[in-house]
Amino acid sequence: MITPVSGKTGIADFVDYGYRINASDPNYVPQLRGEEIGKYTPGENPFFEHARVQLFLARRGGEIVGRISAHIDELALTQPVEQGMGPGTGLWGALETTDPQVATALIQRAEAWLREQGMTKVLAPMNLSVWEEPGQLVLGHDHPPMVMMGHQNARYQPWIEGAGYGLVKQLHTYDLDIKREFPPLIQRIVQSGEKNARIKVRGVDLAQFPREVKIICDILNDAWSDNWGFVPFTETEIAYTAKKLKPICKSDLIYIAEYDGEPVAFMMTLPDLNQVQKEVVRPNGKPSLLGWLKLALWLWKPKNADMRVPLMGVVKRLQSSRMASQLAFMMIEYIRRNAVKHYNGKRGEIGWILEDNQGMVAIAETIESTINKTYNIYEKAL
């Protein structure tokens, strides 16, 4: 039996099932339970301000045996069809079960709900939006995800494809040995930029964090606006994201590039919080008292911290120019040095990056990084 759920109890059951089913996976990283519940709660996650969301649980004999979310992002409906979203586009995500028959039934129930809401196609999996955990992991199950990345069991790929879904886009993350200096060509590009008086590359001012976040999000919304799957950040989402990320934001790991005094590019790098959460967060999403203390100490001063670059961008008017590449390489190099010197970082991860984002793929390849995770996004007509 599959039933829609809502309210505190239903959301808690939805979240807790995800913990139980993944507890035996050595590469699964449980997130804090309060944050997971907030993710699916109207009034807490600002995604709900522009989205219709329905959670479903499958039960057999009273026992929960599966879950899925179906949702419609009203902002996604306004995007150009050629960018993947557009009118009639529904979404589903957060699929969890060990039974292929239950998986099929859950997908069919999500599709039925989307049809009832007037949708004509579905992109999946999306948990919940393209900015959170998009895609089904198909490469990289052998190591844990970094902060803000998903980790879906490999069993779901054939079940999704067997339900009539076709691959529409792949997202990659790239692994990088940050202890190794970049090739001489990149060093020359960085040195050339340092001689250009019109360029200023600076770390963010955490004392002016809301202002800096607004600058970054304005660049992001401009830089990514033509990308496949793009949905703009709202003002509320900007404030929400800033509040969530501030504890792991470090001024020497997030850079803004200015050209003639105008902010035109940014690169956000985060210490990999999943490293410590995997150690201190119990399988139910609740750290012990000692776990909370270790987490707080690590947030205050991350040690031996690997790094993830979740976001970077250059304003559209400079994209495809030499200036764009130069600014990117300057920020990457400065952050690489800081990550090694101040946090004893050894590994970096860049992404996700769209498979056909030629500019970003070229940058990733030039710094000699390699694909370490791939996520599939699927599409189906309803």
Side-chain angles (χ1 to χ4, degrees):
M1 179 175 65
I2 298 175
T3 56
V5 297
S6 60
K8 291 183 178 180
T9 300
I11 294 171
D13 288 343
F14 187 90
V15 167
D16 290 339
Y17 178 74
Y19 290 128
R20 289 198 302 274
I21 197 172
N22 288 292
S24 62
D25 185 340
N27 292 310
Y28 171 72
V29 182
Q31 300 300 299
L32 294 172
R33 186 172 183 268
E35 293 193 359
E36 280 294 285
I37 287 177
K39 176 178 180 176
Y40 298 104
T41 301
E44 291 194 34
N45 184 348
F47 176 72
F48 285 82
E49 295 178 358
H50 55 84
R52 290 169 269 164
V53 179
Q54 181 59 66
L55 308 180
F56 294 95
L57 286 174
R59 290 182 171 86
R60 181 183 291 137
E63 179 185 357
I64 297 174
V65 293
R67 74 175 201 183
I68 200 169
S69 66
H71 33 285
I72 300 162
D73 187 341
E74 304 291 350
L75 294 180
L77 300 182
T78 67
Q79 300 305 301
V81 173
E82 60 271 19
Q83 288 181 223
M85 299 286 188
T89 303
L91 314 166
W92 63 252
L95 175 65
E96 297 283 9
T97 185
T98 58
D99 187 323
Q101 293 181 330
V102 173
T104 298
L106 284 165
I107 291 172
Q108 289 175 346
R109 185 65 186 89
E111 292 172 349
W113 184 83
L114 292 171
R115 287 192 197 95
E116 292 165 6
Q117 301 292 315
M119 299 299 102
T120 56
K121 76 169 184 179
V122 58
L123 289 178
M126 293 280 186
N127 184 20
L128 288 164
S129 75
V130 71
W131 295 111
E132 292 175 276
E133 294 180 11
Q136 163 65 37
L137 181 66
V138 297
L139 172 71
H141 292 95
D142 58 343
H143 59 282
M146 280 196 168
V147 60
M148 297 173 64
M149 290 300 294
H151 182 80
Q152 300 81 23
N153 194 285
R155 62 176 170 261
Y156 299 124
Q157 181 182 358
W159 297 352
I160 294 170
E161 294 171 358
Y165 285 77
L167 178 65
V168 67
K169 194 67 64 175
Q170 285 194 322
L171 317 175
H172 301 303
T173 62
Y174 287 77
D175 184 78
L176 176 68
D177 178 0
I178 61 176
K179 303 187 306 299
R180 188 180 69 226
E181 290 191 355
F182 290 142
L185 171 62
I186 295 178
Q187 299 296 341
R188 289 196 295 270
I189 293 173
V190 171
Q191 292 165 7
S192 172
E194 291 172 338
K195 296 175 183 177
N196 188 338
R198 303 175 71 181
I199 294 175
K200 178 183 178 182
V201 179
R202 63 175 180 83
V204 297
D205 182 355
L206 295 180
Q208 300 292 330
F209 195 63
R211 181 200 69 191
E212 301 286 64
V213 170
K214 179 66 165 56
I215 290 172
I216 288 172
C217 287
D218 285 346
I219 296 173
L220 177 67
N221 277 335
D222 178 70
W224 285 47
S225 59
D226 292 336
N227 283 3
W228 185 93
F230 173 77
V231 178
F233 266 148
T234 66
E235 293 293 327
T236 311
E237 286 172 319
I238 291 171
Y240 173 80
T241 302
K243 182 178 179 180
K244 283 190 65 176
L245 293 183
K246 190 173 183 180
I248 57 172
C249 287
K250 306 299 177 182
S251 61
D252 54 355
L253 296 175
I254 305 176
Y255 271 68
I256 294 172
E258 299 175 353
Y259 188 66
D260 288 339
E262 176 192 357
V264 293
F266 79 95
M267 177 175 169
M268 172 183 286
T269 303
L270 300 175
D272 183 23
L273 182 61
N274 276 4
Q275 281 181 264
V276 65
Q277 288 200 164
K278 196 172 189 308
E279 298 290 329
V280 306
V281 179
R282 294 177 292 189
N284 63 0
K286 301 176 183 178
S288 64
L289 183 60
L290 180 59
W292 278 115
L293 179 60
K294 288 181 177 178
L295 182 61
L297 289 172
W298 190 92
L299 287 170
W300 175 62
K301 191 172 183 179
K303 294 182 179 180
N304 301 318
D306 290 337
M307 301 287 164
R308 176 172 176 242
V309 181
L311 294 170
M312 64 184 300
V314 180
V315 293
K316 277 198 297 188
R317 66 180 179 83
L318 293 181
Q319 290 175 7
S320 301
S321 69
R322 290 184 180 180
M323 176 63 66
S325 297
Q326 185 166 49
L327 295 176
F329 287 134
M330 291 175 73
M331 291 186 291
I332 292 171
E333 171 61 1
Y334 295 163
I335 291 173
R336 184 197 68 80
R337 294 174 191 170
N338 291 338
V340 173
K341 181 178 179 181
H342 301 152
Y343 305 94
N344 195 30
K346 297 178 176 61
R347 174 176 165 248
E349 184 176 279
I350 302 172
W352 48 266
I353 296 174
L354 289 165
E355 60 179 329
D356 51 2
N357 186 334
Q358 296 178 353
M360 283 304 305
V361 170
I363 288 172
E365 291 177 346
T366 301
I367 60 176
E368 300 179 345
S369 60
T370 57
I371 293 173
N372 69 316
K373 285 185 182 288
T374 296
Y375 297 80
N376 282 359
I377 296 179
Y378 296 96
E379 185 178 55
K380 181 181 178 180
L382 293 177

